[in-house]
């Protein structure tokens, strides 16, 4: 007996396997709806003037490419925390390989740092500094404790007995 379930998008009863991706991941919508959504999204991107970079900056941070470039210039093209110049940061490809075979876009070398509470832009950081702030969950107290830890005297280890 073939099992089926209702698609969360179109409401049609579809075979259970049409809700599974190539890796076995389960989806709420059927394969036909996912493919349709992919085509619509691609057509929307193709019809939109401007770059994906501009779209990403606006969608995520509500800033323009011009503002991002002005901020880079204002910071001397350096990370606002460690001061590394963006030319010294290895250029990496962004994301997974594209299905259409086109090369992936180069990732931003300096990423936009923002307050997760207010969404206010704080500056541009290298990936390492941005990740570090993320690991500290933007907590000033946790960063102070980390500074105290780094400034503390290292532990003394008793010498090993020679056998």
């Amino acid at each position: 007996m073939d099992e089926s379930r209702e698609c969360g998008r179109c409401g049609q009863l579809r075979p259970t396997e049409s809700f599974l991706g190539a890796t076995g991941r389960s989806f709420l919508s059927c394969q036909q709806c996912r493919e349709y959504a992919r085509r619509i999204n691609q057509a929307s991107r193709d019809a939109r003037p401007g770059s994906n970079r501009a779209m990403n900056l606006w969608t995520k941070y509500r800033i323009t490419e011009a503002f991002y470039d002005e901020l880079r210039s204002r910071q001397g093209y350096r990370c606002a925390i460690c001061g590394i110049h963006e030319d010294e940061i290895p250029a990496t490809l962004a994301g997974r390989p594209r299905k259409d075979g086109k090369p992936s876009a180069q990732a931003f070398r300096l990423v936009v740092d923002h307050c997760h509470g207010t969404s206010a832009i704080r500056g541009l950081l290298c990936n390492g500094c941005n990740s570090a702030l993320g690991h500290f969950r933007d907590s000033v107290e946790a960063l102070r404790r980390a500074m105290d830890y780094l400034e503390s005297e290292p532990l003394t280890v008793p010498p090993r007995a020679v056998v």
Side-chain angles (χ1 to χ4, degrees), residues 63-123:
I63 63 172
T64 63
E65 284 180 289
F67 181 79
Y68 175 87
D69 291 335
E70 178 189 328
L71 195 51
R72 281 176 57 224
S73 175
R74 221 185 301 163
Q75 289 184 198
Y77 305 93
R78 296 182 175 280
C79 172
I81 293 178
C82 71
I84 189 172
H85 194 277
E86 67 179 9
D87 291 342
E88 298 169 24
I89 301 169
T92 57
L93 294 180
R96 63 184 180 271
R98 293 172 49 120
K99 288 186 176 184
D100 62 7
K102 293 180 185 174
S104 296
Q106 256 195 0
F108 290 110
R109 293 189 182 185
L110 293 174
V111 297
V112 178
D113 176 49
H114 68 288
C115 173
H116 290 95
T118 65
S119 297
I121 304 297
R122 291 188 284 228

